[in-house]
Amino acid sequence: MELDPVADLPEIRPGDDIAELVADRASLESGDVLTVASTIVSKTEGRVANLEDYPVSGRAQEIADRIADVAGEEKDPRFAQAVLEESTELLIDCPFLLTETRFGHICVNAGIDRSNVPDHDILLLPKKPTESAERIRSRLVERGIEDVAVIVTDTCGRPFRHGQRGVALGWAGMPASRDWRGELDRDGHELGVTVQSVVDELSSAANLVTGEGAGGTPAVVVRDWEFGDHEGSDELFRAVEDDLVRQALRNWRFDD
Amino acid sequence: MELDPVADLPEIRPGDDIAELVADRASLESGDVLTVASTIVSKTEGRVANLEDYPVSGRAQEIADRIADVAGEEKDPRFAQAVLEESTELLIDCPFLLTETRFGHICVNAGIDRSNVPDHDILLLPKKPTESAERIRSRLVERGIEDVAVIVTDTCGRPFRHGQRGVALGWAGMPASRDWRGELDRDGHELGVTVQSVVDELSSAANLVTGEGAGGTPAVVVRDWEFGDHEGSDELFRAVEDDLVRQALRNWRFDD
């Protein structure tokens, strides 16, 4: 497996065609996987905003006040309002905001970015990252690159372990996971690993070569990797019924 | 960045020298990262056991009874006993066991594997995976491969997202994380990403090419990847004070 960052992408603007910008700079081939950072997808989709666009609700003010009280940290209530508007559930409201975004991804601040935005205050995640991935993929197919997969990626933290790692927000041209159920090991025992989240692993791998900041490259081509002959699944985000940690968080409040 | 699985490793036995077995089959060079699945590390360290080695405590019996009651699933109380003995904290006791292992990793069943064991019932995780990684690394350095890093990997599930992905249990020759704090983006804003867990991302990347089961290759060489000029950190496992999800789990019990 080989991962090559796509060099020399320009600053991305609303309406830019990511498929074209990438295909002009990398020799994409059938079977490749293209990972694209959500930041540039958001920029092409005009997902920027200013804090003044978010009139503060009572709930947002309450959140900002409590974080200031408990964590001693100033939180702009307009930012809290933006997070609420991008979310369907607030899992942690203090000392930081952990929410479920409208497309099912759980992350801090609904993934809203305050860096990476030249002319506005904030950059929102793509509204429907899987549709974004499908759009980029179909533009690549139109250019003659058949059988290509596209993953829209982000980085985020997680419970139990420090640090952030790359994750997938949306994908097209391949399933999210590879299913090993029923397959056997060398000794004929059924495997301990059951479902492997390949889109997340590909996003993590890509994040190792993208870099961040001024020298960052928001697109990576993965070559010589195969999904292989396995069942696939597109379920990536857990529902509450299926997630004991979410259930525990519903019954808990930060102790100040 | 390139990832090459190490081909043709034999069935691993207690006392085997993983560094030698790998170096004989792959041309390791300075700057490479070698990932090794914890299963084969455990085998060389004789971390196998039989269920009859675990006389059942009252707590283990209670756990097995409750899981049978609530989840309708048969759990061997000797297996629950083995999980307890490998753990320092039980985070979820029903409908499955989520624990913190003695070296700080949080996973289901303390990472005990019931597949992958030819002559015993169970395979335990390495006792101190970072020491295991250091041992393998120093044997590689002895063979003249300077400046190599070694990661002992496993796969595990996570909250919020379905599926398993590769994670690091121990590492040597590189820090666990890359610290971007204080670095700026193209527009001079401070970066949203702060600490990047590169050992986990490398483990996930490696897991894409190892495969599982009969055709699995438990070692991967990562080439042409650089940690780069960043601060590093070896903190990977969160302490309770630093982990709201662990705090929430301490205050919660599965509702039957």
Side-chain angles (χ1 to χ4, degrees), chain B residues 176-219:
Chain B
S177 303
R178 195 143 78 167
D179 196 333
W180 297 84
R181 275 175 289 198
E183 301 189 37
L184 304 179
D185 71 8
R186 288 187 187 195
D187 307 301
H189 296 100
E190 205 162 307
L191 292 172
V193 168
T194 52
V195 175
Q196 180 191 9
S197 178
V198 288
V199 287
D200 278 344
E201 291 187 326
L202 287 162
S203 302
S204 287
N207 197 43
L208 286 163
V209 299
T210 50
E212 296 276 340
T217 38

Side-chain angles (χ1 to χ4, degrees), chain B residues 221-233:
Chain B
V221 179
V222 184
R223 303 174 205 275
D224 298 325
W225 178 77
E226 275 188 11
F227 186 85
D229 186 22
H230 304 274
E231 293 289 311
S233 157

Side-chain angles (χ1 to χ4, degrees), chain B residues 222-249:
Chain B
V222 184
R223 303 174 205 275
D224 298 325
W225 178 77
E226 275 188 11
F227 186 85
D229 186 22
H230 304 274
E231 293 289 311
S233 157
D234 274 327
E235 272 183 61
L236 182 61
F237 306 117
R238 285 183 191 271
V240 179
E241 312 81 75
D242 206 28
D243 191 339
L244 300 188
V245 165
R246 282 184 71 168
Q247 293 171 32
L249 287 173

Side-chain angles (χ1 to χ4, degrees), chain A residues 161, chain B residues 36 103 128-134 150-154 167-172 199 203 236-237:
Chain A
R161 293 180 162 243
Chain B
V36 183
F103 60 90
K128 295 178 176 174
T130 285
E131 288 181 14
S132 308
E134 276 160 6
V150 175
I151 303 174
V152 174
T153 67
D154 199 7
V167 293
L169 302 184
W171 56 95
V199 287
S203 302
L236 182 61
F237 306 117

Side-chain angles (χ1 to χ4, degrees), chain A residues 1 3 105 116 155 158 160-162 164 166 168 185 190 193 195 197 200-201 207-208 236 238 242-243, chain B residues 1 3 105 115-116 155 158 160-162 164 166 168 185 193 195 197 200-201 207 236 238 242-243:
Chain A
M1 182 170 80
L3 289 99
H105 170 49
N116 287 311
T155 55
R158 60 264 166 95
F160 311 146
R161 293 180 162 243
H162 286 290
Q164 302 193 297
D185 71 9
E190 205 161 308
V193 167
V195 175
S197 176
D200 279 343
E201 292 187 326
N207 197 43
L208 286 163
L236 183 61
R238 285 183 191 271
D242 204 29
D243 191 339
Chain B
M1 183 170 79
L3 290 99
H105 170 52
S115 60
N116 286 310
T155 54
R158 61 264 165 95
F160 310 146
R161 292 180 163 245
H162 285 290
Q164 303 193 298
D185 71 8
V193 168
V195 175
S197 178
D200 278 344
E201 291 187 326
N207 197 43
L236 182 61
R238 285 183 191 271
D242 206 28
D243 191 339

Side-chain angles (χ1 to χ4, degrees), chain A residues 88-92 100 239-241 243-253, chain B residues 248 252:
Chain A
T88 51
E89 188 180 344
L90 189 53
L91 282 82
I92 296 178
E100 180 182 15
V240 180
E241 311 82 75
D243 191 339
L244 299 189
V245 165
R246 283 185 70 167
Q247 293 170 32
L249 286 172
R250 281 197 173 172
N251 285 289
W252 174 85
R253 206 175 183 214
Chain B
W252 173 85

